[in-house]
């Protein structure tokens, strides 16, 4: 990390103000600093992200994920659980857990070494409301994790109609799926209309936001699960990818 902890906190506060986000508590800033510090130290070892320059990490990873945390935080209460599917380097799962200590966050990734990295980072950061598990979503959704989460998040892992089949089986009825998307959000929403209907989900809201000093619009797409996911879903991944709902 080029930033000291104090410099990091100051720059994060400046960027948060630009983005229209509220200032974070000192404990949350400290946790986010450790997340960035570990990303800097371990990125090459674990092939975590192509974004490694400190200012870019702050904007494109931390601030981006804080928008998702804000949205989830507005809907969540005590004792709620979130699953982040395809968490990779821990985004948005680690920042969400860092700033919402009342929410328990599970991260899921198919690569075991990335899950080890996330768990180690959470431990070093003092994030005790977090656990990462190595699994394939289409397999895990047929076990004890099915229909057991209040929120499921995913950050641009796949097209929305594919993501919905992988993610919504984990939701309780009444829970929310929050998908982080870029410029193709409207097109993906249209393609996912059939998937949403088949999976028992209703579109609730599209929230647009911009990262500081960057022109590209980003979106949070929010769906509510209104009925039980049919047992046929999720299908195996080859079926999902070859013939999305």
């Amino acid at each position: 990390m080029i930033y000291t902890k104090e410099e990091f906190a100051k720059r994060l506060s400046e960027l948060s103000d630009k983005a229209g986000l509220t200032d974070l508590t000192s404990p949350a800033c400290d946790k986010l600093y450790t997340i960035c510090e570990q990303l800097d130290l371990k990125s090459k070892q674990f092939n975590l992200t192509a974004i490694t320059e400190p200012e870019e990490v702050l904007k494109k990873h931390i601030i981006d994920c804080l928008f998702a945390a804000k949205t989830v935080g507005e809907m969540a209460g005590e004792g709620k659980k979130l699953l982040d599917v395809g968490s990779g380097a821990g985004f948005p799962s680690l920042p969400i857990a860092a700033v919402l200590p009342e929410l328990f966050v599970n991260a899921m990734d198919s690569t075991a070494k990335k899950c080890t990295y996330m768990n180690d980072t959470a431990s070093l950061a003092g994030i005790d409301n977090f656990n990462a598990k190595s699994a394939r979503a289409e397999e895990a959704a047929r076990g004890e994790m099915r229909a057991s989460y209040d929120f499921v998040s995913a950050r641009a892992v796949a097209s929305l109609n594919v993501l919905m089949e992988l993610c919504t089986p984990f939701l309780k009825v009444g829970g929310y799926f929050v998908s982080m998307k870029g410029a193709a959000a409207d097109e993906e929403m249209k393609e996912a209309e059939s998937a949403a209907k088949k999976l028992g989900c209703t579109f609730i809201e599209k929230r647009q936001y911009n990262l500081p000093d960057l022109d590209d619009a980003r979106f949070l797409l929010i769906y509510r699960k209104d009925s039980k996911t049919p047992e046929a879903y999720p299908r195996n991944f080859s079926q999902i990818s070859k013939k999305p709902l």
Side-chain angles (χ1 to χ4, degrees):
M1 283 289 290
I2 294 174
Y3 296 121
T4 65
K5 187 178 287 189
E6 293 74 20
E7 290 168 340
F8 176 88
K10 180 182 178 183
R11 187 59 181 144
L12 179 58
S13 178
E14 291 170 350
L15 292 172
S16 295
D17 287 345
K18 275 190 175 184
L21 296 166
T22 57
D23 277 342
L24 299 167
T25 64
S26 292
C29 283
D30 289 347
K31 291 173 182 178
L32 292 172
Y33 177 80
T34 301
I35 291 168
C36 293
E37 183 181 47
Q38 290 303 302
L39 187 71
D40 181 56
L41 290 171
K42 304 289 179 64
S43 185
K44 289 183 180 178
Q45 179 184 345
F46 289 100
N47 190 28
L48 296 171
T49 175
I51 301 169
T52 56
E53 196 274 323
E55 182 79 357
E56 295 293 287
V57 168
L58 264 173
K59 292 176 183 176
K60 295 182 179 179
H61 283 325
I62 301 301
I63 294 294
D64 191 33
C65 294
L66 291 181
F67 277 103
K70 177 184 178 183
T71 294
V72 172
E74 290 170 356
M75 297 187 287
E78 292 287 338
K80 300 297 185 181
K81 296 195 302 179
L82 176 144
L83 174 68
D84 184 44
V85 174
S87 206
F91 301 108
S93 56
L94 282 170
I96 288 175
V99 302
L100 298 176
E102 71 281 4
L103 179 75
F104 192 84
V105 176
N106 279 121
M108 178 184 292
D109 197 272
S110 61
T111 305
K113 66 179 182 179
K114 289 183 179 179
C115 292
T116 298
Y117 163 79
M118 287 188 279
N119 283 325
D120 289 347
T121 298
S123 179
L124 288 166
I127 301 172
D128 55 12
N129 56 319
F130 179 91
N131 184 63
K133 177 179 180 179
S134 178
R136 297 189 64 86
E138 68 274 19
E139 296 170 2
R142 294 197 163 276
E144 61 184 14
M145 296 173 73
R146 188 180 183 91
S148 58
Y149 290 89
D150 305 285
F151 300 91
V152 176
S153 61
R155 189 187 187 215
V157 178
S159 61
L160 184 61
N161 51 0
V162 169
L163 279 178
M164 292 192 80
E165 185 170 352
L166 292 172
C167 294
T168 56
F170 292 104
L171 282 171
K172 300 174 182 177
V173 172
Y176 293 89
F177 172 48
V178 180
S179 179
M180 302 174 71
K181 287 292 180 182
D186 285 338
E187 181 183 342
E188 291 194 39
M189 285 173 60
K190 189 170 183 178
E191 290 176 349
E193 287 176 357
S194 174
K197 188 177 294 185
K198 289 177 180 178
L199 294 164
C201 294
T202 302
F203 172 70
I204 298 298
E205 186 180 359
K206 178 180 75 172
R207 294 192 181 187
Q208 180 176 339
Y209 63 98
N210 289 82
L211 302 182
D213 308 318
L214 298 174
D215 294 330
D216 56 322
R218 303 197 179 203
F219 302 89
L220 294 170
L221 307 180
I222 305 167
Y223 291 80
R224 185 182 62 232
K225 184 171 177 177
D226 287 330
S227 60
K228 186 178 177 182
T229 302
E231 292 298 326
Y233 305 116
R235 298 165 294 164
N236 66 57
F237 191 74
S238 63
Q239 289 177 300
I240 296 172
S241 57
K242 287 177 183 176
K243 194 175 181 180
L245 294 178

